[in-house]
Amino acid sequence: MTKKTQQTEKVWFVTGASKGLGADLIQRLLSEGYQVAATSRKRQALIDLVGEQENFLPLTMDVTSNEDVKRTIQEVIDWFGHIDVVVNNAGYSQIGAVEELAAEEVQKNFDVNVFGPLNVIRNVAPYLREQRSGHIINIASIGGFVGDFPGFGIYCSTKFAMAGYTEALAVEMAPFGIHTTLVYPGYFRTNFLEKDSAMVPANPIEAYANAREVEAQHLNQINGNQPNDPKKAATVFIELSKQERPPVHFFMGVGASEFVKTKVGIIEKALTDNLELAESTGIEA
């Protein structure tokens, strides 16, 4: 590939861009004239989505391979000259009670949802530090703040992990002029809960009626009836990238704030109800 020399717009690097929030985002970015590098497991899926455009670089990338991620990011730098906004969107939902999921199912979900974004961050950070600017947007889930969904414990734990390292990343990157935002989307009407995107347990345990009930609710009732529009989410991402001081934590979507307020209330009550016992461990003078 030859190097593209003249850059007049921010360069966005979006993973998992062939469907879901990523697909709507890259379509909106391209319509507004941004330079876009997008990745998917299948490059052709990206071309089928938006066609071939001068300011669009579709790439095949395996987020679970550090070497493949490193190669891909170098290809983007060689093509566009720089990267300004990184969106770690690649991920999937592994459904299943904690006990019933095999180690391989759990490991795969962590490989994609946790270690995949880390591979991207590890390899893009040197370029962002050198140019002393940039914005890393990590897409978690409301399940990265609230985990009490039977059958979604492993998936939520991957997003809790992302939340943990993103908080640290934000303060690590700040001295270099790099912004970091952790987005917790609520329910958006994408294909996230479709059969080819949400994985069910290979060996379900009949006793977990509550997990099966929540699983069925998500796959059969919530799917297709989510209250939020992914096209409007694309607008939100662009607006966040324009902010002078974007937030580290951003809860996105109708209904997300209710989950947050409920969780905060539970934590505050737990602290208050058990404060005397919790602080009984202090060393007396």
Side-chain angles (χ1 to χ4, degrees), residues 76-122:
V76 176
I77 295 295
D78 290 344
W79 184 264
F80 287 121
H82 58 102
I83 295 173
D84 299 292
V85 184
V86 178
V87 181
N88 279 309
N89 177 67
Y92 73 96
S93 178
Q94 174 63 64
I95 301 173
V98 172
E99 178 191 351
E100 67 188 354
L101 289 178
E104 293 78 11
E105 292 172 294
V106 175
Q107 184 66 55
K108 183 178 179 182
N109 206 202
F110 270 80
D111 284 344
V112 174
N113 292 8
V114 178
F115 298 113
L118 283 173
N119 287 337
V120 173
I121 292 165
R122 182 182 305 113

Side-chain angles (χ1 to χ4, degrees), residues 47-245:
I47 297 173
D48 292 343
L49 180 67
V50 299
E52 296 184 355
Q53 302 185 36
E54 183 182 0
N55 58 336
F56 181 49
L57 180 63
L59 297 161
T60 299
M61 187 179 79
D62 177 5
V63 295
T64 68
S65 167
N66 185 68
E67 286 305 310
D68 197 41
V69 171
K70 182 178 181 179
R71 175 196 59 78
T72 302
I73 289 174
Q74 184 61 58
E75 191 170 351
V76 176
I77 295 295
D78 290 344
W79 184 264
F80 287 121
H82 58 102
I83 295 173
D84 299 292
V85 184
V86 178
V87 181
N88 279 309
N89 177 67
Y92 73 96
S93 178
Q94 174 63 64
I95 301 173
V98 172
E99 178 191 351
E100 67 188 354
L101 289 178
E104 293 78 11
E105 292 172 294
V106 175
Q107 184 66 55
K108 183 178 179 182
N109 206 202
F110 270 80
D111 284 344
V112 174
N113 292 8
V114 178
F115 298 113
L118 283 173
N119 287 337
V120 173
I121 292 165
R122 182 182 305 113
N123 287 290
V124 79
Y127 298 103
L128 300 183
R129 285 192 292 103
E130 184 178 0
Q131 69 190 25
R132 302 193 71 82
S133 67
H135 193 172
I136 298 171
I137 301 175
N138 288 337
I139 310 300
S141 163
I142 195 61
F145 188 79
V146 179
D148 59 350
F149 302 98
F152 284 84
I154 294 304
Y155 169 72
C156 288
S157 70
T158 67
K159 297 304 184 178
F160 268 74
M162 174 182 271
Y165 66 66
T166 301
E167 286 192 353
L169 182 69
V171 293
E172 292 168 355
M173 293 284 98
F176 306 104
I178 301 165
H179 301 299
T180 306
T181 299
L182 177 65
V183 178
Y184 305 83
Y187 289 109
F188 278 79
R189 200 168 297 181
T190 67
N191 55 6
F192 184 71
L193 292 173
E194 298 289 343
K195 290 182 179 179
D196 63 339
S197 296
M199 304 297 293
V200 297
N203 297 294
I205 298 173
E206 186 178 351
Y208 284 107
N210 58 354
R212 296 291 83 75
E213 180 182 352
V214 173
E215 174 186 323
Q217 182 185 36
H218 279 77
L219 297 179
N220 302 324
Q221 298 173 30
I222 295 175
N223 184 33
N225 295 300
Q226 297 95 325
N228 292 290
D229 184 346
K231 289 182 172 55
K232 292 182 178 180
T235 301
V236 170
F237 290 132
I238 294 172
E239 289 303 311
L240 283 171
S241 76
K242 294 177 180 178
Q243 291 186 0
E244 185 177 347
R245 295 182 179 178

Side-chain angles (χ1 to χ4, degrees), residues 18 23 221 224 257 282:
S18 62
Q221 298 173 30
S257 63

Side-chain angles (χ1 to χ4, degrees), residues 261-275:
K261 291 173 184 177
T262 299
K263 172 69 176 284
V264 170
I266 291 171
I267 296 298
E268 288 180 340
K269 187 176 187 304
L271 283 170
T272 301
D273 290 352
N274 296 279
L275 186 59

